[in-house]
Amino acid sequence: MAPSSKNLQLTKVAGAGEDSGDLEDVRLLDSYEDGDSFNKIEEGMRKVQVRVTGMTCAACSNSVESALNSVNGVVRASVALLQNRADVAFDPNLVKDEDIKNAIEDAGFEAEILPEPGTFGTKPHGSLVGQFTIGGMTCAACVNSVEGILRDLPGVKRAVVALATSLGEVEYDPTVISKDDIVNAIEDAGFEGSLVQSSEQDKIILGVAGIYTEMDVQILEGILSHLKGVRQFRFDKMTREVDVLFDPEVVSSRSLVDGIEAGSNGQFKLNVKSPYARMTSKDVEEASNMLRLFTTSLFLSIPVFLIRVVCPHIPRVYSLLLWRCGPFQMGDWLKWVLVSLVQFVVGKRFYIAAARALRNGSTNMDVLVALGTSASYFYSVCALLYGAVTGFWSPTYFETSAMLITFVLLGKYLECLAKGKTSDAIKKLVELAPATAVLLTKDKGGKCIEEREIDALLIQPGDTLKVLPGTKVPADGVVGWGSSYVNESMVTGESVPVLKEVDSSVIGGTINLHGALHIQATKVGGDAVLSQIISLVETAQMSKAPIQKFADFVASIFVPTVVGLALLTLLGWYIGGVLGSYPKQWLPEHGNYFVFALMFSISVVVIACPCALGLATPTAVMVATGVGANNGVLIKGGDALERAQKIKYVIFDKTGTLTQGKATVTTAKVFTGMDRGEFLRLVASAEASSEHPLAKAIMDYARHFHFFDEPSATKDAQNNNKETNSGWLFDVSEFSALPGQGVQCFLSGKCVLVGNRKLMTESGIAIPTHVEDFLVELEESAKTGVLVAYDYNLIGVLGVADPLKREAAVVVEGLGKMNVRTVMVTGDNWRTARAVAREVGIQDVMAEVMPAGKADVVRSFQKNGSVVAMVGDGINDSPALAAADVGMAIGAGTDIAIEAADYVLMRNNLEDVITAIDLSRKTFARIRLNYVFAMAYNVVAIPIAAGVFFPSLGIMLPPWAAGACMALSSVSVVCSSLLLRRYKKPRLTTILEITVE
């Protein structure tokens, strides 16, 4: 299987809130770790993102990638042409950020190390070294005492205390222990303690309003110099932005902003600059720069074109142009000056880019443009000088050079605009996050004493935020007060508003519709769901589809091949003319064989377009990942897209995937004289310590029976297990969960067993015929039978049902129409599995499969080379998701667990499986079309430019027209990819060929 980004993990975080009713109460998107073939870096390695300016085609990106990989200490480097970005993983002991930047600049490109998006307010990871002042120490015994206390603290790896300086240096894990815990431990030992500084550093970029003079700059710098925790800062007078490097263990980003504003007595107003917004502004800046160059070139080229084409038909103007001024006519002087400005001022970028490409032993489109325009320009200059010396005046072709550069710049500008459109999905996701939030300050009694508006990027975990009706939720959190309906469609794709009450979780960027809410922020910055989705989409857009390797190979040999063809064209037409192979009437007026051959040769050089090939795949992948995100389908890379369009088998997990994942007890039958209430109390006592979904269903049923569904009692029972256990459950001992079988415990010295047939059989408990018949009846009606034994006697059976999702049968039929075979795999018994499969229309069933065995099932279908997809919802599906060619994790918004998947289906809807496959098929159909167009363009255009059809059809393409064709070819490929933005989810009625009257 090809290397993929399928190990990109969205893993569970301890303490995630439960979502009652779901089988797997695990938060997805809580913690995000890059784990694809690039992003999964070894321990001790570091990863940075670098903005690379100056890349024009695939050859440029290959050149940068090679330069980075040649640096000693760089583990991996991946360069994305469209995003003008490089991801570099390296050993920080061997390589520094500056070395990465220098390597790119030595390759002839501009580089800028990017700050990590969403780092503000995030919790630091890894070990930190903190310096603490320790007051009150008088002797070595005090030192030993403090050192001993510090070393015994959980999470502290090293502690050294110096009596002379009253300082202690502590290396600690901030995920286990905080700086405040260390200070408290010092104070509990009878000493005074405070943090001086830590090894952690964070960066924040602030826009500053209120600076008008040099004195204001000095005031700002003075304030920053005196703020505790500020390590370094730099103020940019042009952008009015200040970059601040600070110690987050000493000062928070919000305290930093508040300190600056307070220190200036309100003169300065600060706002946090989002890294995403800064990157977008760079893209806009590039497009505007290209527009400026194009308009300048056009302004200078139009007079040249008029002098050549229009002025000869205006006698008075033409007579002025023929007026001799020195060795040349006035018209020649004007053309020479104007075109020189275009060639060497406007066109300087082509020479610079071509020079750095050649210096690094590679070639790109800039080499072709520089070669073609230089040939035309320098021939014209030589023709002028030759005429001045000999009196024999050959025609000049200055306008060819000028028009060529103008058309190429027009193409580049249109390409910038079109490429900008491909990343619209990222921009829309970034825009979902509100700019500001209303922070509530509470006193010790919990009463709100103040509310103020703060920058949303300054929100910290634990903050209480007010969300008014009609506004966006500013951060991920939990509702502490109020109730309202929230529109989560922009994140999950689910159009129906979701009711949010106290203790409900909310997602940042969603819209509060009706009532006011007070929420407590739980996840901010890079930990937030929205930030993780953006990171996931960005990672997908950075990855290369395997089909891209073909374009990279062609790009590496394209330019040398074209230059070779141009030389052959030049020699062919020139030698053919000298030998009399074609009539002199074909030559232009006052022309010669060399000029005639040169024009064909220049046309070949400039019409060839390597850019169209290089853009064919990445533009389509960018648009597709964006479209998928808008439809609640998160795709983790081009390789995942490429494999998904070849899917032959889709394997579904049963519980929570085909079924609703909300198990309920439908039957409780007692086979002894035990009271029904006592029977349920006994079973609930045994299952109270189990985390299994069926255990929760049994607990809910027993609790309902015991409390007669009294709301207050039920709620208390759910929220306070200790109180619940002492209130109505028996005290059990020696509890143990037996995977794949059930649970075992002891009550008053007697064994209680709750589980399946296997548990009873292995425990030596016989199952009577009438009980077996009852079990078979349950299983044939798609229910799971749970057997209960007390003191090694079978006393009863519970029937548990998990209703099918309403769309399951239709989706299975739809996949069949798409020539995809469906398979169901489950740990449940064969009768229940077959009953469920029969209901949804699945023919292939694998039952009684343990979690680890699901991966073996996947591999069995892969043996004949088939591409297999696995659709699952829980952590127990992780081995199978990882083993599958395409893993699809399905769930409701954030409440799904993913270990290893290529696709994240945000909604708990099986229709998105069809959407994922359909989108991948349409994307690769578009990529193939792009390649066909790019290849066909070059195959057809180069022979026309070389004059192959001139003898028979009289078709000759002037160099400026060839330049226009080249410019428009890459634009047309990008526009072709942009058509994917019109993608609509397939209608099941269309797939199933259902006619709706």
Side-chain angles (χ1 to χ4, degrees):
M1 202 165 65
S4 72
S5 57
K6 66 191 317 167
N7 294 321
L8 198 68
Q9 292 184 358
L10 302 173
T11 54
K12 179 179 175 181
V13 162
E18 294 187 4
D19 182 11
S20 60
D22 284 347
L23 285 189
E24 308 280 353
D25 55 342
V26 184
R27 292 267 296 174
L28 169 73
L29 298 171
D30 275 357
S31 173
Y32 169 81
E33 299 172 13
D34 289 345
D36 67 354
S37 56
F38 172 79
N39 287 308
K40 191 168 185 178
I41 59 176
E42 294 82 4
E43 190 176 347
M45 297 294 111
R46 185 159 175 266
K47 182 184 143 194
V48 295
Q49 287 188 342
V50 190
R51 183 179 180 85
V52 185
T53 308
M55 296 190 296
T56 56
C57 62
C60 296
S61 61
N62 291 342
S63 177
V64 175
E65 208 163 286
S66 300
L68 288 169
N69 284 320
S70 65
V71 176
N72 182 35
V74 169
V75 181
R76 282 180 296 277
S78 175
V79 180
L81 172 65
L82 284 180
Q83 290 90 334
N84 291 317
R85 208 172 71 205
D87 277 5
V88 189
F90 61 94
D91 184 345
N93 297 320
L94 299 174
V95 185
K96 304 300 178 195
D97 290 7
E98 201 62 30
D99 299 329
I100 303 290
K101 185 180 177 185
N102 291 340
I104 296 171
E105 289 175 347
D106 289 345
F109 301 89
E110 294 175 24
E112 176 194 353
I113 305 291
L114 295 174
E116 291 184 29
T119 56
F120 312 129
T122 58
K123 196 171 184 178
H125 301 284
S127 293
L128 295 184
V129 177
Q131 272 192 351
F132 297 82
T133 57
I134 304 169
M137 295 189 298
T138 56
C139 62
C142 298
V143 172
N144 293 336
S145 173
V146 174
E147 277 187 354
I149 289 165
L150 290 175
R151 286 170 183 166
D152 290 340
L153 290 174
V156 170
K157 298 177 180 178
R158 180 175 61 86
V160 180
V161 178
L163 177 63
T165 58
S166 296
L167 284 176
E169 188 172 278
V170 183
E171 184 181 350
Y172 63 99
D173 184 348
T175 60
V176 177
I177 188 169
S178 71
K179 64 179 188 301
D180 294 329
D181 295 331
I182 295 172
V183 170
N184 290 338
I186 294 169
E187 290 177 346
D188 289 345
F191 301 93
E192 296 171 7
S194 65
L195 178 71
V196 179
Q197 63 177 1
S198 80
S199 60
E200 178 66 358
Q201 62 182 34
D202 208 342
K203 185 179 180 182
I204 189 169
I205 302 157
L206 303 168
V208 187
I211 290 185
Y212 306 105
T213 64
E214 190 63 36
M215 182 63 73
D216 294 335
V217 175
Q218 291 174 12
I219 291 171
L220 175 64
E221 291 175 347
I223 294 168
L224 285 166
S225 300
H226 290 93
L227 278 176
K228 191 178 178 182
V230 172
R231 291 228 170 102
Q232 192 180 326
F233 58 86
R234 183 179 63 84
F235 180 70
D236 188 327
K237 295 177 183 178
M238 295 293 292
T239 60
R240 290 285 195 274
E241 290 177 359
V242 60
D243 293 10
V244 184
L245 202 64
F246 65 97
D247 184 346
E249 289 288 286
V250 178
V251 62
S252 68
S253 52
R254 191 161 74 222
S255 302
L256 187 67
V257 171
D258 290 344
I260 296 171
E261 290 185 348
S264 67
N265 294 320
Q267 178 186 344
F268 303 146
K269 294 296 178 187
L270 280 69
N271 67 295
V272 184
K273 295 290 183 180
S274 164
Y276 294 112
R278 283 168 61 87
M279 285 154 66
T280 303
S281 67
K282 286 283 180 83
D283 293 336
V284 172
E285 186 182 321
E286 186 184 355
S288 60
N289 183 46
M290 205 58 70
L291 176 62
R292 182 176 54 79
L293 288 173
F294 164 66
T295 51
T296 305
S297 182
L298 183 65
F299 178 75
L300 294 170
S301 299
I302 287 174
V304 178
F305 179 77
L306 294 175
I307 290 170
R308 176 66 183 246
V309 178
V310 178
C311 291
H313 302 288
I314 306 172
R316 287 192 176 183
V317 176
Y318 193 50
S319 62
L320 286 172
L321 294 175
L322 293 176
W323 177 53
R324 187 166 293 276
C325 182
F328 310 122
Q329 294 175 347
M330 182 57 71
D332 292 330
W333 278 115
L334 284 172
K335 285 193 287 186
W336 193 356
V337 170
L338 290 170
V339 173
S340 294
L341 290 171
V342 174
Q343 186 76 27
F344 300 111
V345 178
V346 177
K348 179 177 71 173
R349 67 183 302 278
F350 296 113
Y351 283 107
I352 293 171
R356 67 185 172 215
L358 293 171
R359 189 169 67 243
N360 289 291
S362 63
T363 50
N364 57 18
M365 188 208 74
D366 297 301
V367 172
L368 294 178
V369 174
L371 199 61
T373 57
S374 297
S376 174
Y377 175 83
F378 287 111
Y379 166 76
S380 301
V381 171
C382 290
L384 273 182
L385 296 174
Y386 183 76
V389 173
T390 64
F392 179 78
W393 297 94
S394 298
T396 59
Y397 294 90
F398 281 119
E399 69 284 347
T400 296
S401 165
M403 296 300 286
L404 210 86
I405 289 174
T406 302
F407 277 117
V408 171
L409 288 172
L410 171 62
K412 282 289 170 190
Y413 170 63
L414 294 175
E415 191 180 305
C416 277
L417 292 181
K419 285 197 297 188
K421 295 286 184 188
T422 62
S423 59
D424 272 357
I426 292 281
K427 292 171 190 169
K428 285 179 181 174
L429 286 169
V430 172
E431 287 166 4
L432 285 179
T436 60
V438 178
L439 175 69
L440 298 179
T441 306
K442 295 185 176 181
D443 58 19
K444 291 181 180 179
K447 186 179 178 183
C448 181
I449 55 174
E450 182 196 3
E451 62 177 65
R452 65 184 179 114
E453 192 172 57
I454 62 167
D455 197 303
L457 290 171
L458 298 177
I459 297 170
Q460 297 169 359
D463 283 348
T464 302
L465 307 167
K466 184 178 182 179
V467 188
L468 297 171
T471 60
K472 291 179 179 178
V473 176
D476 292 6
V478 177
V479 177
W481 175 87
S483 67
S484 178
Y485 280 89
V486 174
N487 179 3
E488 296 184 341
S489 61
M490 62 289 300
V491 175
T492 66
E494 187 63 66
S495 58
V496 180
V498 182
L499 176 64
K500 300 294 179 182
E501 298 176 303
V502 174
D503 293 335
S504 297
S505 59
V506 289
I507 306 171
T510 54
I511 299 173
N512 179 25
L513 297 178
H514 303 301
L517 297 173
H518 289 182
I519 68 164
Q520 184 175 30
T522 54
K523 291 184 171 52
V524 299
D527 291 334
V529 169
L530 192 58
S531 293
Q532 291 181 30
I533 292 173
I534 291 168
S535 296
L536 199 149
V537 174
E538 275 193 322
T539 304
Q541 294 180 348
M542 281 289 290
S543 70
K544 289 184 180 180
I547 197 172
Q548 178 71 22
K549 291 175 184 174
F550 166 72
D552 290 344
F553 169 72
V554 172
S556 66
I557 62 169
F558 188 87
V559 174
T561 304
V562 168
V563 172
L565 288 172
L567 284 173
L568 284 174
T569 302
L570 177 67
L571 293 171
W573 280 104
Y574 180 67
I575 294 169
V578 171
L579 296 177
S581 300
Y582 55 85
K584 276 195 172 184
Q585 289 82 353
W586 287 5
L587 299 180
E589 190 180 351
H590 306 300
N592 55 48
Y593 292 121
F594 178 75
V595 174
F596 187 59
L598 183 65
M599 288 302 107
F600 280 120
S601 179
I602 291 173
S603 293
V604 169
V605 167
V606 297
I607 203 167
C609 185
C611 292
L613 276 169
L615 293 169
T617 299
T619 51
V621 169
M622 279 189 77
V623 177
T625 50
V627 166
N630 290 337
N631 285 285
V633 177
L634 302 182
I635 307 162
K636 292 187 180 175
D639 50 349
L641 265 172
E642 185 163 343
R643 288 195 304 275
Q645 44 109 23
K646 301 174 186 172
I647 288 173
K648 187 175 179 182
Y649 292 97
V650 173
I651 300 175
F652 289 99
D653 174 50
K654 179 178 79 74
T655 306
T657 303
L658 288 172
T659 64
Q660 293 178 14
K662 295 178 181 177
T664 53
V665 176
T666 57
T667 310
K669 192 171 181 69
V670 185
F671 294 108
T672 64
M674 184 181 285
D675 176 69
R676 183 183 175 88
E678 285 299 298
F679 169 72
L680 290 175
R681 190 178 173 196
L682 176 74
V683 179
S685 301
E687 294 284 15
S689 299
S690 174
E691 289 298 318
H692 196 279
L694 296 186
K696 292 181 182 179
I698 292 167
M699 284 293 294
D700 287 342
Y701 184 79
R703 187 183 294 114
H704 172 85
F705 186 90
H706 183 80
F707 289 108
F708 300 100
D709 206 22
E710 292 178 22
S712 60
T714 304
K715 188 171 181 180
D716 288 341
Q718 288 173 334
N719 294 337
N720 193 332
N721 276 334
K722 288 183 181 178
E723 187 180 324
T724 300
N725 290 341
S726 61
W728 67 288
L729 296 181
F730 296 119
D731 290 325
V732 298
S733 59
E734 299 179 46
F735 172 86
S736 60
L738 307 171
Q741 297 183 30
V743 299
Q744 174 183 306
C745 64
F746 286 86
L747 173 61
S748 302
K750 294 180 180 179
C751 181
V752 180
L753 297 167
V754 182
N756 56 18
R757 285 188 186 84
K758 189 176 181 181
L759 176 63
M760 299 300 155
T761 306
E762 290 186 2
S763 301
I765 299 171
I767 302 175
T769 306
H770 66 284
V771 176
E772 181 64 35
D773 292 343
F774 183 73
L775 273 175
V776 169
E777 186 184 331
L778 283 174
E779 291 164 355
E780 287 181 345
S781 60
K783 294 174 185 175
T784 301
V786 179
L787 297 156
V788 182
Y790 178 57
D791 197 18
Y792 297 101
N793 292 312
L794 203 147
I795 60 170
V797 173
L798 293 164
V800 183
D802 188 4
L804 282 169
K805 290 177 180 173
R806 58 177 185 167
E807 75 275 7
V810 184
V811 167
V812 167
E813 188 180 349
L815 287 169
K817 295 280 185 180
M818 295 170 74
N819 296 318
V820 176
R821 286 187 63 182
T822 50
V823 182
M824 187 183 84
V825 61
T826 178
D828 216 333
N829 65 78
W830 277 98
R831 282 197 190 89
T832 304
R834 287 197 183 102
V836 172
R838 190 165 52 246
E839 211 171 325
V840 295
I842 292 177
Q843 302 298 319
D844 297 319
V845 182
M846 301 286 175
E848 297 178 7
V849 180
M850 300 292 280
K854 292 179 182 179
D856 296 326
V857 172
V858 170
R859 293 187 191 99
S860 69
F861 284 97
Q862 290 172 327
K863 281 179 180 175
N864 61 355
S866 299
V867 176
V868 178
M870 171 72 194
V871 184
D873 74 318
I875 291 174
N876 63 339
D877 299 320
S878 301
L881 287 169
D885 298 292
V886 181
M888 295 187 186
I890 186 169
T894 61
D895 298 312
I896 43 180
I898 301 172
E899 285 297 322
D902 299 294
Y903 284 73
V904 181
L905 311 182
M906 294 294 287
R907 299 188 308 158
N908 197 8
N909 193 318
L910 290 170
E911 291 176 27
D912 287 343
V913 175
I914 288 179
T915 302
I917 297 173
D918 183 66
L919 177 59
S920 66
R921 288 181 177 181
K922 284 187 168 58
T923 300
F924 267 79
R926 180 63 57 183
I927 288 173
R928 291 187 191 98
L929 186 66
N930 287 350
Y931 274 127
V932 167
F933 177 81
M935 293 296 291
Y937 164 79
N938 284 298
V939 167
V940 172
I942 291 175
I944 291 174
V948 171
F949 302 105
F950 184 73
S952 56
L953 302 174
I955 298 174
M956 182 180 184
L957 208 60
W960 64 267
C965 291
M966 185 270 283
L968 293 174
S969 66
S970 56
V971 175
S972 57
V973 165
V974 179
C975 290
S976 167
S977 295
L978 285 173
L979 290 174
L980 281 170
R981 294 171 72 194
R982 300 169 62 187
Y983 173 83
K984 300 290 182 189
K985 282 186 178 184
R987 294 171 65 93
L988 286 172
T989 51
T990 306
I991 294 172
L992 300 177
E993 299 170 1
I994 299 171
T995 305
V996 181
E997 297 294 339

